[in-house]
Amino acid sequence: MNAQMPLKTTAVLQKDITPEGGDYEVVRRAIEKISLDYRDQPSLEILAEEVGETPTGLQKLFTRWAGLSPKAFLQAVTLDHARKLLDSGMPLLETSFEVGMSGPGRLHDLFVTHEAMSPGDYKTRGAGLTIRYGYHISPFGIALIMVTDRGLAGLAFSDAGGERAAFADMSARWPNATYVEDMAATAPYAARIFDPALWRADQPLRIVLIGTDFQVRVWEALLRIPMGKACTYSSIAARIGAPSASRAVGAAVGANPMSFVVPCHRALGKSGALTGYHWGLTRKRAILGWEAGHVGS
């Protein structure tokens, strides 16, 4: 049976899982201004005027949200900073890849335990698979979370009003699955994923990777990039034994169904350029800046 769009496709935000609530909308607009004008190093006063806040109010709100002041965040998303992430990240990445990439393991800052569906399972395009989904407030807008009985299978982001498009995009990946809206099933994942205080080794986050063998290898490689570091597409290609497949690696990164958890936002161009991001370049900057705040603290 082909997946049908459920009758109820807008977010049901029954519980605000982040202490800042609607703050992200103000922060998003500030980040958007930074993203467009970062070369001009916009001042706090200019950013505050852009979002309709006082400079003091924006300073406090932004710092509470990101753990960084707007000025520090601006520095964290510049090209020079991205290049430093690449330079400092390579030795750690070399070590992590030497450990090996086969089988389940404790990966990522979230203490992720992962498994992959078999190629045969993937070829059925989700037939026989029940995916439960729900919409939740997150630090990066509305999060669409999808889970199976084996763990988290999908995480997408949208702004208000984009919920239907986010669902259509995600459900098209596994069109033969059965989709059930079930916020009770997805809420524990939302709380766990976006609260660093709950990132515990004794309570690993279970995820299931549903993709081709090549995609899964790329996603496993992304899981090995530590928070506060970055990796180029070409280096990922080399480390999965496909040095000439940078373009295919880029496509697999773009097809990653688990934003944030499988950190495709940490994949950068050779120059340190942020390049594209399936859920928007402003959101990619937001995630990298938010992570910089947590690494710094």
Side-chain angles (χ1 to χ4, degrees), residues 174-277:
W174 313 296
N176 296 326
T178 298
Y179 292 89
V180 178
E181 184 170 26
D182 187 351
M183 285 188 66
T186 56
Y189 287 88
R192 168 77 165 78
I193 289 166
F194 298 113
D195 185 355
L198 300 179
W199 297 359
R200 296 169 51 182
D202 62 339
Q203 295 181 2
L205 176 67
R206 292 194 307 128
I207 70 172
V208 57
L209 303 175
I210 308 174
T212 67
D213 177 67
F214 182 83
Q215 286 175 330
V216 168
R217 287 161 59 200
V218 172
W219 300 339
E220 287 177 328
L222 292 173
L223 280 166
R224 297 183 184 277
I225 306 175
M227 181 184 284
K229 308 297 178 186
C231 194
T232 64
Y233 299 103
S234 57
S235 60
I236 293 173
R239 284 163 177 74
I240 64 171
S244 62
S246 294
R247 189 178 297 273
V249 164
V253 170
N256 168 34
M258 271 181 273
S259 179
F260 187 74
V261 171
V262 177
C264 50
H265 56 277
R266 298 178 193 160
L268 306 179
K270 278 188 176 181
S271 67
L274 297 190
T275 65
Y277 186 61

Side-chain angles (χ1 to χ4, degrees), residues 150-166:
R150 296 160 69 176
L152 180 72
L155 170 56
F157 291 114
S158 76
D159 297 320
E163 300 90 353
R164 180 183 292 271

Side-chain angles (χ1 to χ4, degrees), residues 40-291:
D40 297 330
Q41 299 287 293
S43 66
L44 177 62
E45 289 73 20
I46 289 175
L47 291 173
E49 183 179 359
E50 180 74 16
V51 302
E53 284 278 348
T54 65
T56 300
L58 179 60
Q59 177 89 354
K60 291 180 178 178
L61 186 156
F62 202 107
T63 302
R64 184 172 71 249
W65 178 84
L68 291 169
S69 68
K71 181 177 180 180
F73 186 96
L74 175 60
Q75 294 169 344
V77 297
T78 62
L79 184 60
D80 287 344
H81 179 77
R83 286 169 176 158
K84 291 176 183 177
L85 292 184
L86 289 172
D87 292 342
S88 62
M90 296 313 295
L92 286 174
L93 291 173
E94 294 286 358
T95 300
S96 66
F97 276 94
E98 287 175 4
V99 172
M101 293 169 51
S102 60
R106 187 232 123 181
L107 302 169
H108 195 269
D109 323 279
L110 275 162
F111 298 99
V112 168
T113 299
H114 79 288
E115 62 174 301
M117 298 190 77
S118 71
D121 289 334
Y122 174 71
K123 287 180 181 178
T124 67
R125 309 294 301 281
L129 189 65
T130 296
I131 297 179
R132 301 182 182 279
Y133 72 94
Y135 299 97
H136 302 268
I137 287 288
S138 86
F140 311 108
I142 296 172
L144 167 60
I145 293 179
M146 294 182 160
V147 302
T148 72
D149 57 1
R150 296 160 69 176
L152 180 72
L155 170 56
F157 291 114
S158 76
D159 297 320
E163 300 90 353
R164 180 183 292 271
F167 181 88
D169 173 61
M170 293 295 287
S171 60
R173 299 162 190 255
W174 313 296
N176 296 326
T178 298
Y179 292 89
V180 178
E181 184 170 26
D182 187 351
M183 285 188 66
T186 56
Y189 287 88
R192 168 77 165 78
I193 289 166
F194 298 113
D195 185 355
L198 300 179
W199 297 359
R200 296 169 51 182
D202 62 339
Q203 295 181 2
L205 176 67
R206 292 194 307 128
I207 70 172
V208 57
L209 303 175
I210 308 174
T212 67
D213 177 67
F214 182 83
Q215 286 175 330
V216 168
R217 287 161 59 200
V218 172
W219 300 339
E220 287 177 328
L222 292 173
L223 280 166
R224 297 183 184 277
I225 306 175
M227 181 184 284
K229 308 297 178 186
C231 194
T232 64
Y233 299 103
S234 57
S235 60
I236 293 173
R239 284 163 177 74
I240 64 171
S244 62
S246 294
R247 189 178 297 273
V249 164
V253 170
N256 168 34
M258 271 181 273
S259 179
F260 187 74
V261 171
V262 177
C264 50
H265 56 277
R266 298 178 193 160
L268 306 179
K270 278 188 176 181
S271 67
L274 297 190
T275 65
Y277 186 61
H278 190 75
W279 289 276
L281 196 55
T282 296
R283 189 166 277 113
K284 183 172 185 173
R285 290 189 186 276
I287 295 173
L288 288 171
W290 184 88
E291 288 188 341

